[in-house]
Amino acid sequence: MKRALVCGAGGFIGGHLVKKLKREGYWVRGVDIKHHEFAPTQADEFLLLDLRQPEHCKQALTAPDGGAFDEVYQLAADMGGMGFISVAECEVLRNNALINIHMAHTAAQMGTPRYFFSSSVCIYRDMEPDEPPLTEEDAYPAQPDNEYGWEKLYAERVATAYGRHYSMQVRIARFENSYGPEGTWRGGREKAPAAICRKVAEADDGDSIEVWGDGTAIRVFTYVDDLVDGIYALMHSDLEGPVNLGSDERVTIAELVQTVIDVSGKDLRIKYVPGPIGVHARNFSKARIKSLGWEAKIPLREGIARTYAWIEAQVNATREG
Ligand code: NAD
């Protein structure tokens, strides 16, 4: 039986990735600095560790027989939506660099054969709404919009260098925004789809909901089941170098908000207010990941319907509690 380590297993994507690996028949160890907030872990073993510390990385990376894991998925990060990463710049830079340096170094030294790193399309520069898609190589010359993106770019280079100098196959995906049930939906770290679902779920017919920006920013939102299928396909491929991973459905924030409102069946007004909105537009080539036969299967409306139902239930449970 293959053994996999998922770092960040107490988080949104890591939690879903554990489920995917269990479906594929793996023995899975999950590691995180905290337990999952919304669902019991499906991992065979779950360790609470702080991966900023090298000795905790070693403990995480040592399989039960004392050897290395067959596959290591590094998703642990101090992160959140724009509201969080625009204010917590020092924490994001320090904590994530420490995690990624110690994880790549220790994994390589321990002889880990395959290492996955979760990067982000935040490593790219801002774009004009009508620009043609950027390919993975267009990350350079680099001009990420925020410090979270700069650290991801640096961490890509760290993992890649260890792959060059050790016998460790490195796979890197640059995720576009992911959303779905069992992700952070309140507290300041939530991302746009979850925040909008929460605001709509809390509103009554006739209310207004506040949305940051002016609604024109363009994004791609990828349902989490599609994302973890893509991670798995990439990890088991020969594709070296960073790979963009996301759906083809580009929408404005206004379209995202309207989709959530439509799904809710409520009659609501939208009030745009100043806030941290990030880049204006995103458009990335998916040719590399599609060369593996992967493509996103869940349309935005269907993914939002599933996510809204889960967040509405959380909101209602909180009210009743
Ligand atoms: P998340 O915040 O839900 O999960 C990250 C997990 O890392 C959390 O559970 C957190 O507790 C854990 N963590 C933080 N510091 C740690 C430490 N010192 N030691 C151990 N664990 C620690 O985020 P997510 O949305 O599941 O994202 C997973 C990965 O994907 C992250 O690396 C993130 O940067 C990347 N990513 C996510 C998105 C997205 O849309 N969600 C987009 C691009 C990239």
Side-chain angles (χ1 to χ4, degrees), residues 6 8-20 36 41-42 182:
V6 177
F12 169 52
I13 301 171
H16 284 277
L17 181 60
V18 168
K19 289 187 205 172
K20 163 82 180 168
H36 203 293
T41 186
Q42 305 283 312
E182 298 176 4

Side-chain angles (χ1 to χ4, degrees), residues 39-218:
T41 186
Q42 305 283 312
D44 297 281
E45 183 180 77
F46 189 91
L47 303 182
L48 282 178
L49 294 169
D50 180 351
L51 298 171
R52 291 171 298 183
Q53 301 185 37
E55 60 279 15
H56 284 211
C57 292
K58 178 125 196 240
Q59 199 180 328
L61 286 156
T62 305
D65 67 355
F69 277 87
D70 300 300
E71 295 174 13
V72 170
Y73 296 82
Q74 189 344 55
L75 287 91
D78 196 359
M79 66 94 66
M82 278 312 297
F84 175 74
I85 63 174
S86 60
V87 294
E89 294 182 321
C90 301
E91 292 83 349
V92 164
L93 283 169
R94 176 177 184 273
N95 294 337
N96 295 340
L98 287 172
I99 294 171
N100 288 317
I101 291 168
H102 294 315
M103 278 298 296
H105 175 78
T106 314
Q109 284 210 320
M110 288 180 58
T112 302
R114 231 157 231 269
Y115 185 87
F116 173 87
F117 172 60
S118 53
S119 186
S120 163
V121 293
C122 280
I123 62 98
Y124 291 103
R125 63 171 169 80
D126 197 358
M127 298 178 72
E128 297 298 328
D130 51 1
E131 257 190 86
L134 298 182
T135 66
E136 284 80 355
E137 291 72 30
D138 294 327
Y140 297 97
Q143 194 55 59
D145 170 67
N146 53 59
E147 303 302 353
Y148 168 78
W150 279 106
E151 190 282 330
K152 285 287 189 200
L153 199 59
Y154 171 71
E156 284 188 1
R157 302 189 70 92
V158 173
T160 306
Y162 275 95
R164 267 198 306 274
H165 293 277
Y166 290 76
S167 58
M168 182 166 83
Q169 289 287 317
V170 172
R171 297 290 175 269
I172 298 172
R174 292 175 178 161
F175 300 163
E176 297 214 61
N177 283 294
S178 185
Y179 71 101
E182 298 176 4
T184 304
W185 57 279
R186 64 172 175 179
R189 286 180 186 250
E190 62 278 20
K191 305 188 95 186
I196 293 163
C197 285
R198 186 198 68 233
K199 288 178 187 194
V200 170
E202 286 172 347
D204 295 318
D205 262 339
D207 282 355
S208 294
I209 58 159
E210 289 194 348
V211 176
W212 290 343
D214 62 6
T216 62
I218 296 170

